[in-house]
Amino acid sequence: DIRMTQSPSSLSASVGDRVTITCQASEDINDSLNWYQQKPRKAPKLLIYAASNLEPGVPSRFSGSGSGTEFTFTISSLQPEDIATYYCQHYDYFPYSFGQGTTLEIK
Amino acid sequence: EVLLVESGGGLVKPGGSLRLSCAASGFTFNNAWMSWVRQTPGKGLEWVGRIKTKTDGWKTDYTAPVKGRFTISRDDSKNILGLQMNSLEDEDTGVYYCTTDPASGLDYWGQGTLVTVSS
């Protein structure tokens, strides 16, 4: 099974900051990677699919890059409503798996 | 509007059984591979299993910890996804989400239903 290693596990940043989260896959997954945002007591919400494609309706301050085993998720200018936990998730083959999550808080 | 509404969660004793259902609407259910994902205190988000479409033989796949204990089913005439959970363990406690499988090119999620396994 593919293991997804996400870092950091938590992050404190100021409004307007650029925020970056990394995700490493234990084997090559091409670009079969999603990034999700989850707020308390809510289902995960898809932000980025196929590593770098913005889901329709998602603000353009969110972006993703990478392929193979190394991936990056970026918020270009952090907003208060971005406080949440973010997860990477591969879907190269079953079983799909998620990273451990990055909890983002406002400094 | 797409809706996935889970039901059937609750409190069950270790070794017990529970059946979850997910009622789908707003998209072509019989064309979509469907999945169950859970979020547990111990493992975080975990893809429990999936079921393919009639065209793909209704084939099912499960993650190792639930293989042999959980069974996913679908009723395309009623747009219902099911999850039969047997021999439940403490580690199965968590919120269970009904979702479309990434292979379907869709990303829809239910609101989740809480399963608590405790004596």
Side-chain angles (χ1 to χ4, degrees):
Chain A
D1 297 359
I2 297 174
R3 186 176 64 256
M4 306 301 293
T5 304
Q6 195 175 329
S7 62
S9 56
S10 63
L11 182 54
S12 181
S14 300
V15 172
D17 280 356
R18 183 180 184 87
V19 169
T20 299
I21 299 169
T22 62
C23 184
Q24 182 176 55
S26 60
E27 62 184 80
D28 188 339
I29 59 169
N30 299 298
D31 65 352
S32 301
L33 186 94
N34 289 331
W35 288 97
Y36 285 93
Q37 176 192 67
Q38 188 179 31
K39 295 187 177 181
R41 294 171 298 283
K42 295 290 189 183
K45 174 188 175 184
L46 182 65
L47 301 179
I48 303 287
Y49 65 94
S52 60
N53 294 273
L54 194 66
E55 180 74 356
V58 173
S60 59
R61 63 180 181 275
F62 296 101
S63 65
S65 64
S67 68
T69 61
E70 302 286 339
F71 301 88
T72 300
F73 172 81
T74 300
I75 306 174
S76 61
S77 178
L78 185 66
Q79 300 302 304
E81 60 267 30
D82 299 337
I83 297 313
T85 300
Y86 293 84
Y87 296 92
C88 61
Q89 177 247 322
H90 94 84
Y91 53 93
D92 192 48
Y93 62 81
F94 198 86
Y96 313 138
S97 57
F98 292 86
Q100 312 94 301
T102 296
T103 301
L104 193 49
E105 64 174 36
I106 296 285
K107 203 182 284 186
Chain B
E1 181 194 10
V2 171
L3 278 179
L4 291 172
V5 180
E6 300 98 337
S7 59
L11 174 64
V12 61
K13 289 182 168 52
S17 297
L18 208 57
R19 180 174 179 82
L20 306 184
S21 293
C22 171
S25 60
F27 66 102
T28 308
F29 180 78
N30 61 356
N31 284 350
W33 293 15
M34 297 297 297
S35 288
W36 287 96
V37 172
R38 67 183 179 184
Q39 190 161 26
T40 65
K43 288 190 174 181
L45 285 165
E46 182 179 28
W47 216 281
V48 173
R50 68 178 181 185
I51 186 165
K52 299 181 181 179
T53 60
K54 177 182 180 180
T55 301
D56 295 303
W58 290 306
K59 186 177 184 301
T60 53
D61 297 295
Y62 301 94
T63 190
V66 310
K67 219 172 276 188
R69 299 189 298 125
F70 290 13
T71 302
I72 297 175
S73 61
R74 63 189 299 159
D75 183 338
D76 289 344
S77 68
K78 297 179 180 176
N79 288 2
I80 299 278
L81 178 71
L83 177 65
Q84 178 66 42
M85 303 185 292
N86 298 330
S87 303
L88 282 160
E89 305 168 352
D90 292 349
E91 294 74 22
D92 296 319
T93 292
V95 177
Y96 285 70
Y97 295 101
C98 164
T99 180
T100 46
D101 190 275
S104 288
L106 304 170
D107 190 84
Y108 305 136
W109 292 69
Q111 82 287 354
T113 187
L114 177 63
V115 172
T116 304
V117 184
S118 175
S119 53

